[in-house]
Amino acid sequence: MLIRNAHIDDIDQLISIEEYCYSIPWSRESFEEELTDNELGIGLVAEDEGIVAGFALGIVVAGELQLHNIAVHPDHRGKGLARALMESVEEHCRANDLQRVFLEVRRDNEIANRLYQSLGFQSVGMRKDYYGPDQDANLYTKEL
């Protein structure tokens, strides 16, 4: 497994993963903005056997990282890719003197909630209907 910076050439694979993982996927334009117009952000991909299998994208605001999107293709789950991506996100933040990471995750996504908790993220609230009707989000933060 390799974690590396995301490139615009990865966009088709990122979109494919996004479409597998989310009922309302990001548009191509959203990915293009994240990868090209986001100088203060982070874009990482996880390669598994030479294939982009997951990604993490976020933006820096006031010395903090807001993680916008993280996904692992279903065929590559259970291999530790999400954990490796999150650990790389934290390494990037520390190297750039960022103070904390914020993220939202679907309240009913038990696997992701357990992952963030196991990485030391603290629940700081909930956003009702964040992902749509009856699709609430848990808010997490981690001090670095």
Side-chain angles (χ1 to χ4, degrees):
M1 174 180 32
L2 169 70
I3 305 291
R4 63 168 173 79
N5 288 327
H7 305 290
I8 196 70
D9 295 343
D10 297 321
I11 199 164
D12 289 333
Q13 293 178 83
L14 301 182
I15 290 169
S16 177
I17 294 166
E18 179 82 358
E19 289 173 348
Y20 273 104
C21 295
Y22 297 106
S23 58
I24 303 173
W26 279 14
S27 67
R28 175 175 288 277
E29 293 77 23
S30 294
F31 277 103
E32 288 172 352
E33 279 183 32
E34 237 8 62
L35 294 175
T36 60
D37 297 339
N38 190 357
E39 292 178 25
L40 296 176
I42 182 173
L44 299 174
V45 297
E47 285 187 5
D48 187 20
E49 299 178 9
I51 296 168
V52 174
F55 64 87
L57 302 169
I59 188 168
V60 176
V61 178
E64 303 170 344
L65 181 76
Q66 172 65 47
L67 191 65
H68 284 164
N69 199 340
I70 181 168
V72 173
H73 191 285
D75 292 346
H76 297 272
R77 291 183 182 157
K79 299 178 181 180
L81 295 179
R83 179 174 295 277
L85 280 165
M86 288 304 299
E87 289 170 349
S88 294
V89 164
E90 288 184 34
E91 287 173 23
H92 171 86
C93 290
R94 286 186 182 97
N96 289 282
D97 297 321
L98 301 179
Q99 304 301 311
R100 73 183 50 86
V101 179
F102 285 97
L103 60 88
E104 296 94 4
V105 63
R106 282 184 198 276
R107 189 172 208 114
D108 63 357
N109 187 337
E110 293 177 22
I111 293 171
N113 279 283
R114 279 195 309 267
L115 171 66
Y116 300 131
Q117 291 165 6
S118 76
L119 289 167
F121 281 80
Q122 300 297 312
S123 176
V124 292
M126 187 264 296
R127 291 191 178 167
K128 185 152 180 59
D129 300 330
Y130 184 74
Y131 293 105
D134 298 319
Q135 295 181 13
D136 302 337
N138 286 334
L139 301 175
Y140 286 101
T141 188
K142 182 174 182 179
E143 302 291 326
L144 302 174

